[in-house]
Amino acid sequence: MKKYIFILLGALIFSSSIYSQEKKISIKVKDVYNRPVAGATILLDSVKQNALTNSNGIFKTKLEFEPKEISAFHPKIGIKKIKYDGKNNIIIKIKKGNDLNLSNNSPKQKSSNSLNYNTIYDYLRGKVAGLHVSSENTIVIRGYNSINGNMTPLFIVNGTSVSQEVFGRIVPNDIKSVTVLKGPETTIYGVRGANGVVIVKTK
């Protein structure tokens, strides 16, 4: 009898695994006016997907794992992160704004002549004080020393934390301001801000 129970349990686990691997989802990204957003980057648990949303704002994929969060990012609009509820069809609305209120003592650089820069890394090198940007686009906030080998700061775009890969897609001409936080100013971000924080607001 025990043998048959183990066989049944094995079959159920196997079928469940096959189902989860074959689950397909469709994500539609819209702006605040319900217009489709083409060219948006989709992230599953902060893992950037290779394809962008199409001209109808739609992104489709087959899930190999069930994510806890799904994010949609567009360099000219902003980023929106939602909790994944297990549905196959998802709508994400992204909008500008949603900025954090920051200390007026922070070094903030306003955007000007952004067209002179090809990438955000060029922009940071040329315009933002307090940062060191290497030729390999490694960003380090001046005054921080590596303890565990990782000196990458926390990146915030329009109030939401993003990976450096997403941060690197920001178009310089869309930058409204850049703020660099270090020391006590980073405490609102906890351990995530241990290496400092780079905050970008887009137009």
Side-chain angles (χ1 to χ4, degrees), residues 110-129:
K110 290 188 177 180
S111 173
S112 63
N113 300 324
S114 300
L115 290 175
N116 295 334
Y117 303 99
N118 295 322
T119 70
I120 188 170
Y121 299 108
D122 294 334
Y123 178 92
L124 295 177
R125 287 188 192 99
K127 295 189 62 64
V128 181

Side-chain angles (χ1 to χ4, degrees), residues 61-144:
T61 189
K62 184 185 294 183
L63 292 180
E64 295 181 359
F65 66 94
E66 188 164 298
K68 294 180 180 179
E69 296 177 330
I70 298 177
S71 304
F73 168 76
H74 193 280
K76 291 187 176 181
I77 303 175
I79 187 168
K80 177 67 176 178
K81 183 184 294 184
I82 65 169
K83 298 288 185 182
Y84 179 57
D85 57 6
K87 294 181 180 178
N88 292 337
N89 296 299
I90 301 159
I91 295 177
I92 300 178
K93 284 189 177 182
I94 54 178
K95 62 180 180 179
K96 294 184 179 180
N98 193 31
D99 296 322
L100 298 175
N101 293 321
L102 304 172
S103 169
N104 291 329
N105 296 325
S106 303
K108 181 180 289 186
Q109 312 292 329
K110 290 188 177 180
S111 173
S112 63
N113 300 324
S114 300
L115 290 175
N116 295 334
Y117 303 99
N118 295 322
T119 70
I120 188 170
Y121 299 108
D122 294 334
Y123 178 92
L124 295 177
R125 287 188 192 99
K127 295 189 62 64
V128 181
L131 288 179
H132 172 72
V133 184
S134 73
S135 58
E136 282 123 19
N137 297 333
T138 300
I139 299 174
V140 177
I141 294 179
R142 297 186 189 279
Y144 279 85

Side-chain angles (χ1 to χ4, degrees), residues 15-67:
S15 62
S16 175
S17 174
I18 292 296
Y19 171 76
S20 63
Q21 290 177 4
E22 294 182 346
K23 185 173 184 179
K24 296 179 181 179
I25 61 170
S26 175
I27 301 169
K28 184 159 190 176
V29 181
K30 299 181 177 181
D31 62 15
V32 291
Y33 303 105
N34 284 321
R35 297 176 302 200
V37 176
T41 299
I42 302 298
L43 299 94
L44 305 178
D45 284 342
S46 298
V47 178
K48 177 179 172 290
Q49 305 303 294
N50 292 328
L52 304 176
T53 54
N54 62 21
S55 59
N56 295 316
I58 295 174
F59 169 86
K60 294 182 179 181
T61 189
K62 184 185 294 183
L63 292 180
E64 295 181 359
F65 66 94
E66 188 164 298

Side-chain angles (χ1 to χ4, degrees), residues 164-181:
Q164 185 171 345
E165 189 172 11
V166 172
F167 182 83
R169 290 193 64 220
I170 297 173
V171 178
N173 194 42
D174 295 328
I175 296 173
K176 181 179 180 182
S177 65
V178 178
T179 304
V180 178
L181 301 183

